[in-house]
Amino acid sequence: MKYPALLSFQEVLPQLGQFDAVIDARSPSEFAEDHIPGAINCPVLDDAQRAQVGTMYKQVNTFEAKKLGAALIARNIACHIETLFLDKPREWTPLVYCWRGGNRSGAMAHIMAKIGWPVAQLDGGYQSYRRHVNASLAELPLRFGFKVICGPTGSGKSRLLQVLSQQGAQVLDLEQMAAHRGSVLGNLPSELQPSQKAFDSRLWDALQGFDPRQPVFVESESKKVGNLRVPEVLMASMRNSPCYAVALSRPDRVRLLLEDYVHFIADPALLNTQLACLAYVHGRDKVAFWQQLSLSGRIEELVDELLLKHYDPAYAQSIRRNFDQFSEAQVIDLPDISDATFARVAKQLHQEK
């Protein structure tokens, strides 16, 4: 075979895991927005350089821009080879891509092929991958039988999914993938939400790795998890699937939430900023009362109030409307929030036919 080999994503997909490296030659900001799962970023032009060359294209002429771009690209590729790839053997097999599979990945793939590595270049670049993801998310969910874990806020749904995953069950944890717990207080303090494209990539990566012969456990999410949209076909499949209703006492739900939202306990001002978002639903006076509970350290009382006045009514209103089989849901009674209880229940669900 002549190298660099120019491959479509359909040709690449069956052997994606066999490449020794998947190299994204785009700029850091492009890579941060989304990339092929498992790829490493080796930009042939960084963001400032890309802007500089692009400006020269528009304001001077193509020839001058290409000269500048070639010098920058050659320098950057040399740096990547020196710092990352000098120790790679002759049989090392990389896949390289850029935005459209043009000059940026072409330059890197050409130099790697001249060195002697059996390098492949993705025809159509990231755009061809993105088209595949969009098409797949309209079809992949239809292959699986989902089991939906339902329950009001604080009932342990996410924790149950985590234990199921640890026990080897197929779990699609939408909140983990979205870096958000799915409510007005759901932002994670140490992690920003991914872009919509990156969220889609995480979903695609998980779904295409699942076995259609085995069930997929998922939480009863709404159409949006924070700022991110769950794809329509996946949402429709979930809403038409068998449900399990997790039941946990309200005192235990309060305790579980205090464990999961410890960052709000440590920062009442942050909590009160988020609570202010509920004023349009409950009015300023009610929210001001909740904020005072937060400032005075009456956190358990606050959490109980929020469950009783906000979360539980909202859950009761939406779950029956949105999940077709919830009325026939199998109830899962959790006597406590111990690790042993979650392990026992997860094992029962995992082994259930």
Side-chain angles (χ1 to χ4, degrees):
M1 180 183 291
K2 183 180 178 181
Y3 294 103
L6 190 62
L7 303 177
S8 70
F9 192 75
Q10 295 301 325
E11 293 173 301
V12 162
L13 183 58
Q15 55 182 318
L16 190 58
Q18 299 173 24
F19 288 100
D20 293 312
V22 178
I23 300 172
D24 188 320
R26 299 176 301 157
S27 68
S29 65
E30 293 172 293
F31 181 82
E33 183 184 22
D34 185 34
H35 52 268
I36 295 176
I40 60 172
N41 190 206
C42 296
V44 300
L45 291 172
D46 64 26
D47 291 306
Q49 292 167 343
R50 184 166 173 249
Q52 182 184 9
V53 173
T55 299
M56 186 169 284
Y57 263 103
K58 294 178 181 178
Q59 297 183 358
V60 184
N61 60 60
T62 300
F63 181 67
E64 295 300 323
K66 285 185 175 180
K67 284 196 294 183
L68 173 63
L72 294 171
I73 287 171
R75 200 172 296 130
N76 289 332
I77 292 175
C79 181
H80 294 317
I81 291 172
E82 289 173 344
T83 58
L84 297 173
F85 308 132
L86 272 184
D87 63 337
K88 305 305 180 188
R90 181 183 292 273
E91 62 271 16
W92 180 68
T93 307
L95 170 70
V96 184
Y97 72 93
C98 61
W99 183 253
R100 289 189 297 266
N103 291 336
R104 289 185 286 176
S105 59
M108 180 174 278
H110 175 76
I111 291 174
M112 286 182 162
K114 288 299 181 182
I115 291 172
W117 286 314
V119 58
Q121 181 186 358
L122 179 58
D123 190 18
Y126 167 81
Q127 288 186 327
S128 68
Y129 160 73
R130 178 66 184 168
R131 285 193 294 271
H132 176 82
V133 168
N134 285 337
S136 295
L137 290 179
E139 178 271 327
L140 271 176
L142 302 176
R143 300 182 186 179
F144 301 103
F146 292 96
K147 291 187 176 183
V148 183
I149 307 298
C150 307
T153 298
S155 58
K157 301 184 297 295
S158 295
R159 197 167 294 192
L160 185 56
L161 286 181
Q162 291 168 7
V163 178
L164 278 164
S165 180
Q166 292 165 5
Q167 294 183 358
Q170 295 187 144
V171 171
L172 192 66
D173 193 335
L174 298 176
E175 292 186 358
Q176 181 186 56
M177 292 178 181
H180 198 281
R181 291 196 173 107
S183 71
V184 71
L185 301 179
N187 298 76
L188 301 183
S190 59
E191 187 177 357
L192 295 175
Q193 285 201 269
S195 69
Q196 182 66 49
K197 291 179 180 178
F199 180 57
D200 292 344
S201 281
R202 293 176 184 184
L203 290 172
W204 169 80
D205 191 38
L207 289 170
Q208 62 91 28
F210 285 158
D211 182 352
R213 296 168 297 181
Q214 301 297 323
V216 176
F217 292 91
V218 66
E219 188 173 332
S220 55
E221 297 290 350
S222 61
K223 291 181 179 180
K224 292 189 72 176
V225 186
N227 295 320
L228 301 175
R229 301 181 310 278
V230 179
E232 290 184 9
V233 175
L234 174 58
M235 196 75 243
S237 297
M238 289 164 51
R239 288 182 168 180
N240 194 38
S241 296
C243 298
Y244 294 85
V246 181
L248 184 66
S249 71
R250 206 161 79 232
D252 274 333
R253 290 167 61 200
V254 171
R255 281 191 284 273
L256 187 146
L257 288 169
L258 290 177
E259 291 179 6
D260 287 348
Y261 289 83
V262 66
H263 55 285
F264 281 131
I265 300 174
D267 192 348
L270 176 63
L271 173 56
N272 283 352
T273 298
Q274 294 302 111
L275 288 175
C277 300
L278 297 176
Y280 79 99
V281 179
H282 299 282
R284 293 181 180 178
D285 290 345
K286 174 59 74 174
V287 169
F289 171 66
W290 289 340
Q291 290 173 327
Q292 186 55 45
L293 291 178
S294 170
L295 292 173
S296 61
R298 296 156 63 186
I299 300 298
E300 289 189 22
E301 185 178 348
L302 169 60
V303 173
D304 192 66
E305 270 268 331
L306 288 171
L307 291 178
L308 188 62
K309 302 292 177 59
H310 177 69
Y311 285 109
D312 287 1
Y315 172 79
Q317 186 177 45
S318 68
I319 190 68
R320 293 183 182 278
R321 183 178 69 243
N322 291 315
F323 287 85
D324 297 343
Q325 297 190 44
F326 180 76
S327 59
E328 303 169 11
Q330 178 180 328
V331 177
I332 303 172
D333 283 306
L334 296 180
D336 54 55
I337 58 172
S338 67
D339 291 344
T341 290
F342 280 104
R344 174 179 56 79
V345 171
K347 185 177 181 180
Q348 290 173 350
L349 288 176
H350 190 196
Q351 293 178 343
E352 189 175 284
K353 300 299 183 183

